[in-house]
Amino acid sequence: MWMTPKRSKMEVDESRVFRSEWTQRYLVVESPEGEGALCLVCRRLVVATRERDVRRHYEAEHDYYERYVAEGERAALVERLRQGDSPVVAPLTPEERAARAGLGLARLLALKGRGWGEGDFVYQCMEVMLRDVLPEHASVLDGIDLSPELTRQRVLNINQNLRSQLFNRAKDFKAYSLALDDQAFVAYENYLLVFVRGVGQDLEVQEELLTIINLTHHFSVGALMAAILEALQAAGLSLQRMVGLTTTHTLRMIGENSGLVSYMREKAVSPNCWNVIHYSGFLHLELLSSYDVDVNQIINTISEWIVLIKTRGVRRPEFQALLTESESEHGERVNGRCLNNWLRRGKTLKLIFSLRKEIETFLVSVGATTMHFTDKEWLCDFGFLVDIMDHLRELSELLRVSKVFAAAAFDHICTFEGKLSLLHRHIEEENLTHFAAFREVVDELKQRHKEDQKIFDPDRYQVVICRLQKEFERHFKDLRFIKKDLELFANPFNFKPEYAPISVRVELTKLQANTNLWNEYRIKDLGQFYAGLSAESYPIIKGVACKVASLFDSSEICEKAFSYLTRNQHTLSQPLTDEHLHALFRIATTEIEPHWDDLVRGRNESNP
């Protein structure tokens, strides 16, 4: 290693070099000392000169200057700031402060899934509190209007502001992927949620809701395709930059000849497009996989039990934990589809399995059938389903961890596939080491049927595991196709150049020979390492990094939307326009902070 050529400093730090276009965009100039960027407004030095650091400083401290949007206005503003003439930021008037409070409360109501009319109730609560605690300040509420009509409009304005910010950031995406979720809704109408994950020059990842499409109005795949393309065009995202598609594995999405994925891939085919990577197992993994392993309609039977418990067993102490769990997910009342989805979770099934004896006693007391508790095959199927769904739950929780990149997520999937092979062998050998619930059922049945030598048929459950293996192989086929790219991205210093594509071998050899880069790789996370890697010196590796980083690495944002819907199903099932529904879901899932001053002062006219 001592003979390793000394690295030129620019090889890592070129992406930190000040760029002239930042002056008008972020109101900064290059520091006279040559390191960092000097803010023209507050005269503070932004030390880490990556674009994301400069942008964060600007958005956090000087968002007010976004009102200067025209090119001539912006250039004049920069010239004034260079001369030390800073435009005075007028303080908010009392009316504007009242409007700001109203906007904040409207956003809070939206986040909590409360109806528009509850703003008046909030106002009354604050009025009572101030009159009793701070009577001298009770008048501050006079200018705050929380009427349903104004609250509804404020939610739309917040959505417009967030949408505008997303579209501004999308212009800088080097690559992006889409997640299409048609299984989230449990309301009266079904919708397709379209999420976008984009990556900028500095590998800063942004995951946001792009649009919501009403499937009632866009029933055909062609209509869906047109709606998605329209949303992409509005955001300034071309198909040439699309890298991946993550979907559910419904026929609407992955039908061989008529699925939306095949249509989008066909549309994206051109000499300038990358091959679109598709995988369909991330979204609602437990929910959709449960249909493959529920061999005896166990969920339907349990659903009937839960309905009985909710109507005739709510006061029984043994069921309080189960009812509390249900209400924390869906409230006191729950529709059938939502209940069915909740029961298809490994955690829920495990809880119900632990209460099976109490449930049997309850069913006897209300005169309901208990035939399943004497059915040997059904009980074995129940135990097997609980264990398989618990294994799927563990995988699903790993896939909810974001900011790990698709390479790590694919490792979890490969590990789980190896686990399925092990479970298959164990079932063949009648070894129930990793089937706790199944083993418990078998032990009970052996005590009950001592003369019976064969309690369960291993072939029955081997078939189920094989089916699940084939489904996983099908859903993640494209990720296997880019396995080398994922491995190269995750471990560039351990990847053998002879196994790399010919086009990247020279860059990879050069990278691995650089001691300073190796040291940075060891102490930084992958995102930071690739963000600091020079695009001029390593263009192909940097390109691979952008593509891999743009792939969805978790189901976090989809789970966030699904959780919001299930918690607030009654509010969301009320008559709402698609525009209002879109606003609620954007506010519930976004990581972007609204530009409050712009909203208060009504500067949304130029927004898209």
Side-chain angles (χ1 to χ4, degrees):
M1 293 298 291
W2 60 272
M3 294 183 64
T4 302
K6 192 170 183 178
R7 171 184 66 98
S8 167
K9 184 176 180 64
M10 289 295 290
E11 280 187 16
V12 173
D13 294 337
E14 277 177 326
S15 68
R16 299 172 183 258
V17 170
F18 183 88
R19 299 211 292 267
S20 58
E21 62 265 25
W22 293 352
T23 299
Q24 282 208 21
R25 188 180 300 175
Y26 305 123
L27 306 180
V28 294
V29 293
E30 189 172 7
S31 171
E33 289 78 16
E35 291 186 3
L38 182 65
C39 178
L40 289 171
V41 181
C42 62
R43 299 295 167 178
R44 278 161 49 187
L45 186 68
V46 183
V47 179
T49 317
R50 293 195 189 98
E51 184 172 6
R52 59 183 171 187
D53 300 311
V54 176
R55 183 176 68 239
R56 283 172 180 165
H57 171 79
Y58 173 76
E59 291 180 348
E61 304 290 338
H62 311 303
D63 177 56
Y64 168 79
Y65 293 97
E66 277 296 292
R67 67 184 302 175
Y68 299 90
V69 292
E71 187 174 344
E73 282 186 330
R74 200 73 175 173
L77 172 64
V78 170
E79 191 58 34
R80 288 178 62 185
L81 291 172
R82 284 183 187 273
Q83 295 172 8
D85 180 15
S86 300
V88 177
V89 180
L92 293 177
T93 64
E95 293 78 11
E96 288 174 334
R97 286 201 299 271
R100 170 68 178 83
L103 284 163
L105 285 169
R107 182 197 188 196
L108 185 61
L109 288 172
L111 284 170
K112 299 300 181 182
R114 315 307 296 183
W116 313 123
E118 296 195 29
D120 286 336
F121 176 67
V122 172
Y123 183 92
Q124 293 169 19
C125 292
M126 292 191 297
E127 191 175 36
V128 169
M129 182 184 68
L130 284 176
R131 282 178 180 172
D132 290 342
V133 180
L134 297 169
E136 67 277 13
H137 294 292
S139 61
V140 300
L141 295 177
D142 293 344
I144 301 177
D145 186 352
L146 296 178
S147 63
E149 296 77 16
L150 192 54
T151 300
R152 186 185 298 114
Q153 185 56 48
R154 282 170 174 159
V155 168
L156 291 178
N157 291 344
I158 293 171
N159 173 61
Q160 184 76 356
N161 184 276
L162 294 171
R163 182 172 178 263
S164 175
Q165 290 188 64
L166 171 62
F167 287 4
N168 286 334
R169 296 183 186 188
K171 295 173 186 175
D172 298 325
F173 288 168
K174 298 299 179 184
Y176 72 91
S177 294
L178 297 179
L180 310 178
D181 185 0
D182 63 343
Q183 287 293 296
F185 265 77
V186 290
Y188 296 116
E189 290 188 284
N190 206 358
Y191 290 81
L192 174 69
L193 303 182
V194 182
F195 301 96
V196 63
R197 176 185 171 102
V199 177
Q201 177 65 37
D202 291 330
L203 264 81
E204 186 176 8
V205 175
Q206 188 86 40
E207 282 188 15
E208 293 291 332
L209 176 69
L210 180 63
T211 189
I212 292 180
I213 301 171
N214 191 323
L215 294 175
T216 306
H217 302 154
H218 301 81
F219 185 75
S220 69
V221 173
L224 273 180
M225 181 71 185
I228 292 172
L229 291 177
E230 182 182 349
L232 290 173
Q233 185 178 10
L237 293 169
S238 66
L239 288 175
Q240 282 74 18
R241 286 184 279 163
M242 185 166 71
V243 175
L245 273 174
T246 307
T247 69
T248 58
H249 45 270
T250 60
L251 284 176
R252 182 192 286 116
M253 293 291 112
I254 63 171
E256 188 171 347
N257 297 318
S258 58
L260 182 59
V261 171
S262 60
Y263 273 72
M264 291 200 71
R265 280 181 149 174
E266 184 179 343
K267 190 74 175 178
V269 170
S270 80
N272 298 321
C273 288
W274 297 321
N275 292 324
V276 176
I277 303 302
H278 170 249
Y279 45 104
S280 58
F282 267 28
L283 310 185
H284 308 294
L285 177 69
E286 290 176 88
L287 169 63
L288 294 174
S289 295
S290 67
Y291 290 97
D292 296 321
V293 298
D294 186 3
V295 294
N296 209 342
Q297 301 298 306
I298 306 291
I299 301 296
N300 291 341
T301 302
I302 295 175
S303 180
E304 295 172 3
W305 295 348
I306 299 301
V307 170
L308 274 174
I309 290 172
K310 281 179 169 286
T311 54
R312 303 178 66 178
V314 289
R315 297 187 183 278
R316 294 187 176 239
E318 64 267 30
F319 298 140
Q320 293 311 303
L322 180 64
L323 293 170
T324 301
E325 173 73 17
S326 174
E327 289 175 12
S328 68
E329 290 283 336
H330 311 109
E332 293 183 4
R333 295 173 297 167
V334 56
N335 67 36
R337 182 178 172 187
C338 195
L339 174 63
N340 194 281
N341 290 353
W342 174 63
L343 291 173
R344 292 182 182 278
R345 295 186 179 181
K347 179 182 176 182
T348 307
L349 281 173
K350 202 170 183 180
L351 176 58
I352 292 170
F353 180 82
S354 68
L355 293 170
R356 65 192 185 282
K357 293 180 180 178
E358 290 82 354
I359 292 174
E360 182 181 10
T361 303
F362 165 72
L363 293 176
V364 170
S365 69
V366 298
T369 179
T370 58
M371 57 180 289
H372 298 99
F373 292 96
T374 58
D375 186 335
K376 184 171 63 174
E377 185 179 86
W378 192 93
L379 287 170
C380 288
D381 291 346
F382 186 17
F384 175 79
L385 177 64
V386 169
D387 289 325
I388 287 293
M389 291 307 299
D390 194 47
H391 291 309
L392 283 165
R393 175 193 59 78
E394 293 174 359
L395 174 61
S396 184
E397 288 178 356
L398 290 173
L399 296 180
R400 288 192 192 114
V401 179
S402 62
K403 315 301 182 190
V404 296
F405 300 114
F410 186 56
D411 285 343
H412 293 319
I413 291 162
C414 292
T415 301
F416 184 76
E417 289 178 326
K419 188 176 185 178
L420 285 177
S421 297
L422 176 66
L423 296 177
H424 186 276
R425 288 197 302 273
H426 280 192
I427 285 289
E428 184 180 12
E429 299 163 358
E430 299 189 20
N431 177 355
L432 303 182
T433 303
H434 298 290
F435 295 90
F438 195 7
R439 183 175 66 247
E440 191 175 335
V441 169
V442 169
D443 290 344
E444 289 176 2
L445 290 173
K446 283 181 178 178
Q447 292 295 322
R448 197 184 304 173
H449 305 280
K450 294 182 179 179
E451 72 287 349
D452 196 342
Q453 297 297 316
K454 188 172 184 180
I455 300 297
F456 69 94
D457 180 11
D459 292 342
R460 180 180 178 83
Y461 304 111
Q462 283 181 274
V463 169
V464 176
I465 295 175
C466 282
R467 185 188 308 147
L468 200 56
Q469 286 175 311
K470 289 178 181 177
E471 287 298 305
F472 266 74
E473 186 176 343
R474 182 166 66 96
H475 297 324
F476 299 105
K477 179 176 63 176
D478 277 13
L479 288 181
R480 287 181 180 81
F481 179 72
I482 60 165
K483 187 176 180 180
K484 284 187 177 180
D485 291 314
L486 297 176
E487 290 175 352
L488 174 60
F489 173 82
N491 297 292
F493 287 91
N494 295 328
F495 196 91
K496 294 183 179 180
E498 58 267 28
Y499 295 144
I502 295 175
S503 59
V504 79
R505 288 179 186 174
V506 173
E507 285 187 18
L508 187 58
T509 303
K510 178 182 175 184
L511 178 79
Q512 292 177 350
N514 195 308
T515 307
N516 292 317
L517 285 176
W518 162 245
N519 290 333
E520 294 212 4
Y521 172 76
R522 286 190 302 115
I523 62 176
K524 293 181 176 180
D525 64 38
L526 276 175
Q528 292 174 329
F529 171 74
Y530 282 111
L533 194 65
S534 167
E536 288 78 11
S537 299
Y538 304 98
I540 299 176
I541 293 179
K542 187 88 170 185
V544 170
C546 281
K547 292 182 191 179
V548 173
S550 72
L551 294 172
F552 276 86
D553 58 4
S554 79
S555 60
E556 182 189 33
I557 191 168
C558 297
E559 292 292 340
K560 192 185 294 186
F562 184 65
S563 177
Y564 178 75
L565 189 145
T566 52
R567 286 197 315 269
N568 306 301
Q569 56 178 303
H570 299 297
T571 300
L572 298 175
S573 63
Q574 302 302 315
L576 290 172
T577 65
D578 290 353
E579 186 180 17
H580 281 103
L581 202 62
H582 194 166
L584 290 174
F585 272 88
R586 187 182 300 283
I587 292 170
T589 58
T590 188
E591 293 182 353
I592 301 174
E593 186 70 14
H595 287 164
W596 297 111
D597 284 356
D598 285 356
L599 284 163
V600 167
R601 290 175 168 138
R603 291 194 299 270
N604 273 327
E605 294 83 356
S606 61
N607 290 347

